[in-house]
Amino acid sequence: MEPKAASKDRFFIVIRGKSRRGFCRGCIGRVETETGRGELTGLMYGCSSNAGSPKNGGSVRTEDAYPLTRHQAQLLLYISSPSRRLEILCNPQLFLAICELTPGDLVVIRYKKGHVPGVVKNLMQIGKKESKDDLNMLGFEVEFVDSEDNLSPKQLGPLPIFSASDIIQVVPSYSVPLGLQYRDIKRDGSTGKVVMRINSMPSTGTSRRQVTKSQSERSVAPGRTQSEPPVPLEVGSLVEVVNNAGVAVYGVIRWLGIPEGKPETWAGVELDYEVVGCSDGVYKDQRYFTCKENCALFVPITKCSPDSRFLCSFTETETFNTTEIPPVPAYEESEEDAPPVPESEAASLFVGKMKGIQGHINSCYLDATLFSLFSSSVTVDAICNKPADKERPITCILKSIVNRLRRQGFVPAQSVMNFRKKLGCETFSKNEKDPEEFISVLFQKVLCIKPLLKLRSEGGNSHGAYTLQIFLEKEQMGQTPTVQKLLDTSCMSGDIKFETMPSCLIIQMPRCGSKYKMFSHIIPSTELDVTDLLFNSPRECFICGQMAKFECVQCLPDHKLQPGRIKQYCSTCNTQVHTHRSRCSHSPQALTVPEGVAADSPLPRRTMQLFGVLCIQTSHFVSFVKYGPDSHSWLFFDSMADRHGDDEKGYSVPEVRACPELGDFLGQPEEELTRANPALAPELVCRLLCDSYMYLYHSPKCQSRSQATENRSSV
């Protein structure tokens, strides 16, 4: 394998946006120039049959490009699908491990319809370099390895070449001496190598650094009954099970308990591969979990040992300090519903690593949404005054998730995965999703709640919705809009009104996933005034404060009348304003004035309070949650903040951080906020300003009602 030569060339991959001239999402480019407008121009690779030959790609915004080394660009270029290139970038730990592969490293390859272990033999250059600008693609020459019990004659021939996206797991070569050894075998006269398992574990009391005993001291004799494993095992632990013949199988514990008729604890293990005679999660006519057919093995817990394939690579890695991760205490289900966590207890319960909801397989959109809606907010509890059928399995699972989050401050990934599998579509358990899609399913099918919003559109048509998408042209707004101005402008431009005061308002910002965002940053409005967006509700004149009788959409952007504010007038002010020559062509519309409201009576403002924000960066969702009335009571939650172990066998480490600096920032006057430079703001404040995707508001009346009955959870 040739060394990776240093290069001054700058490469990148387009991760979002749609170019005006050439570049598209997933294309690889080489920088030629960088403009003062924050754009890159350069050559484009990977969008034709001859992927290594460049063509002029035009320009792309710097914020829409992700920098690459030459080596990374060459590896990604051999992946033919642009979407697969972006998919592997979403797993940075795995991708970096692939970039550092050396001969002899063990890998697991996605091959045909299964996963096959193999050994990296060489890094191969693919394609001819016919010009100086051509870029060779790079692939891995891999030799498959067989288990000792499955040796079949094979013809020697050229080894297959795989792309980076075919590799689903990397086991560094330094971990081989501990758990694996090579043994020469004969195949029709030719000599090959297989990987042979040494069934071994350090004895009880041995430190992580002292795994140096000889095999005779460490091995478990066939047929011998093992004692309780030295390392505590729990649901989610990676284990191996060795039968009396010495054959080992590997998997993850999916269930622990005492089956009917058994005196001791057993484990339900989901195996890595199918084994004839195993089930799909059923043992003696009782289902304990669900997996593929022939992949569920039930054995006494004493037959399980920690998976020795990964002991060395996990425990000797310096980049992850396990002492930073506190142990997760056992959790016992309770029949009583837990109320939302009060402000006085939220920080002590939630803040830290392994807190919040643990992410797994593209679940960040769901994790961030559930944490925002259920951790401390009482909004959904108040809405569910007519709860869904609590006997429905999916409702019971959600109830368990919410109760565990509110009582223990942590929900493991397996609990959430069980919930995802019940959402009615397989893609919810595997694919990336947008929060608004999940929210609709959550409220409509799980909680059986009618649409949160009742909207009245042009022509008097009424329809329901669970979220409200902002639609407008960028030219309608200034450089730094507030959520209030975005909402007012969008509703007025689309002639949309709320027929009733919302108890919960979820607003999507004007962007499409991670592909495109209209504004570089958006200023949050901690209080949202919806008075002028309510249909058939008394409103005051924009000029004099008397009862308004007319509304004018054309006055909305008028720079002489405070642009962005909704303009409604009494009869007198309407006449005066529209006598101006710049407004005489306007067409003010008459408002429906409620009966029984005196013209000079005081008109209260109807407001909503911000309680959560979902943010997105490179297809990854996080959330900010307001957990109490104090301005500094903010939490930041990331369900995949860190990673323990490799991408295939490790697990995500969720984290919740206190974010009082957000309260300091949002406490400034609006004029100062709109002039603020996000680059100079604290890290998390900058993240909220630049990456906001969805804002969550609730009605103060809803808040006070639910606080009075917080001990009656409806979830």
Side-chain angles (χ1 to χ4, degrees), residues 654-675:
E655 183 178 15
V656 179
R657 296 161 60 183
C659 189
E661 61 270 28
L662 181 57
D664 291 331
F665 180 84
L666 296 178
Q668 302 177 81
E670 185 176 310
E671 295 74 16
E672 293 184 26
L673 290 176
T674 55
R675 292 196 300 267

Side-chain angles (χ1 to χ4, degrees), residues 646-704:
D646 66 21
D647 198 73
E648 177 68 13
K649 293 292 185 178
Y651 57 84
S652 297
V653 178
E655 183 178 15
V656 179
R657 296 161 60 183
C659 189
E661 61 270 28
L662 181 57
D664 291 331
F665 180 84
L666 296 178
Q668 302 177 81
E670 185 176 310
E671 295 74 16
E672 293 184 26
L673 290 176
T674 55
R675 292 196 300 267
N677 182 356
L680 302 179
E683 172 206 353
L684 294 181
V685 174
C686 177
R687 192 163 185 179
L688 184 145
L689 296 177
C690 298
D691 299 331
S692 59
Y693 180 89
M694 182 177 280
Y695 284 83
L696 288 69
Y697 290 86
H698 57 202
S699 166
K701 290 185 178 180
C702 168
Q703 175 86 352
S704 60

Side-chain angles (χ1 to χ4, degrees), residues 165-205:
S165 67
D166 295 319
I167 299 174
I168 63 171
Q169 181 184 338
V170 172
V171 182
S173 54
Y174 61 73
S175 67
V176 172
L178 176 69
L180 300 170
Q181 71 176 23
Y182 290 107
R183 181 169 68 90
D184 292 336
I185 61 168
K186 297 282 185 178
R187 290 182 181 166
D188 295 340
S190 62
T191 301
K193 288 184 181 292
V194 297
V195 177
M196 177 182 175
R197 170 64 47 189
I198 300 176
N199 298 310
S200 60
M201 280 294 299
S203 62
T204 305

